[in-house]
Amino acid sequence: AGIETEKVLVAGDWYNDISLFRTKAYKVAFLNSIPELRDKADLVLEKSNSEKAVIELLELIMKNKNL
């Protein structure tokens, strides 16, 4: 509600996530994502969804956040 799409991060790995990757959000794909998502991603993580890729993503966010 009131958040600009450009300020949103989306993450996905499968066909059901394609619509998220059609937005102007920052797109993150897991290592084992389908090619359609990896090709559109702004960032492809080094881990798959079964290797705790969400933790990798959160660590990257915390490491690079502006305080």
Side-chain angles (χ1 to χ4, degrees):
I3 299 173
E4 298 171 29
T5 307
E6 295 85 3
K7 295 182 179 180
V8 174
L9 181 145
V10 296
D13 64 341
W14 202 242
Y15 294 99
N16 61 313
D17 299 315
I18 289 175
S19 62
L20 296 173
F21 278 60
R22 290 184 179 143
T23 68
K24 293 182 180 180
Y26 188 83
K27 301 158 194 67
V28 178
F30 303 133
L31 180 64
N32 63 328
S33 296
I34 59 171
E36 293 89 337
L37 296 184
R38 285 195 317 265
D39 292 344
K40 293 179 187 244
D42 298 302
L43 172 65
V44 178
L45 297 174
E46 294 179 8
K47 294 184 179 182
S48 70
N49 58 359
S50 62
E51 297 175 310
K52 301 180 181 178
V54 173
I55 292 172
E56 177 187 356
L57 175 58
L58 293 173
E59 287 174 344
L60 284 169
I61 291 169
M62 293 304 295
K63 179 180 174 184
N64 294 294
K65 72 177 185 171
N66 294 322
L67 298 175

